[in-house]
Amino acid sequence: MKIVKILKREEEVDQKSYILWTWPGPILLAFLIFLDTEQGDRFMGKYLMHMSGALLAGAFLFFLLMLIFVIFLSGRRFVMFQQSGYLALLMLLIPAYFIIWIYLAFRKDLYYLKESREK
């Protein structure tokens, strides 16, 4: 239930939690970018065109909620590194999304934050 503590702002977003809870976001976005290609058009014609409208709307709503969740956790992680949390809004730009996610996912936690957590 660590994610509940993070959402309540009782704990910081460490590297492991960030990767664990946000990895579906980049995968979903990569899938949406794939749908914009020629192979994606064939995939849509074969599988997605037969989906019901409610299922398609549910998938779109899930993607939006996942995007908001990832931006929120990214903002909390930027604040942990003493940077502006508003930098996470740059993730709304598609090329910046992957770059910022990789930066936040693989940047090591600051050593003095680890020491303060252990105390």
Side-chain angles (χ1 to χ4, degrees):
M1 298 317 292
K2 185 172 185 173
I3 193 65
V4 175
K5 291 180 181 178
I6 290 170
L7 292 175
K8 288 182 178 179
R9 297 179 186 231
E10 294 174 1
E11 285 189 22
E12 294 294 332
V13 185
D14 61 340
Q15 182 182 19
K16 181 180 173 186
S17 299
Y18 183 78
I19 292 173
L20 179 69
W21 288 100
T22 60
W23 67 267
I27 292 172
L28 282 173
L29 189 59
F31 179 71
L32 286 178
I33 291 172
F34 161 74
L35 289 179
D36 196 34
T37 64
E38 187 176 331
Q39 292 82 8
D41 285 340
R42 281 193 233 128
F43 177 81
M44 275 185 36
K46 190 172 185 181
Y47 298 107
L48 296 182
M49 296 308 265
H50 303 292
M51 288 176 64
S52 69
L55 188 60
L56 196 59
F60 182 71
L61 181 65
F62 176 76
F63 173 74
L64 284 180
L65 290 175
M66 178 60 67
L67 183 65
I68 291 169
F69 182 70
V70 170
I71 289 174
F72 175 76
L73 286 183
S74 299
R76 298 268 298 134
R77 194 138 165 87
F78 269 125
V79 168
M80 189 179 87
F81 292 133
Q82 285 130 14
Q83 298 172 358
S84 173
Y86 292 114
L87 288 173
L89 293 178
L90 291 174
M91 295 181 90
L92 294 174
L93 302 173
I94 298 298
Y97 185 91
F98 295 106
I99 295 167
I100 291 173
W101 188 84
I102 288 171
Y103 169 76
L104 291 173
F106 296 107
R107 177 156 183 207
K108 297 289 183 192
D109 294 339
L110 301 173
Y111 69 92
Y112 53 87
L113 290 174
K114 288 182 185 178
E115 291 173 0
S116 67
R117 273 191 227 130
E118 292 172 0
K119 290 181 181 177

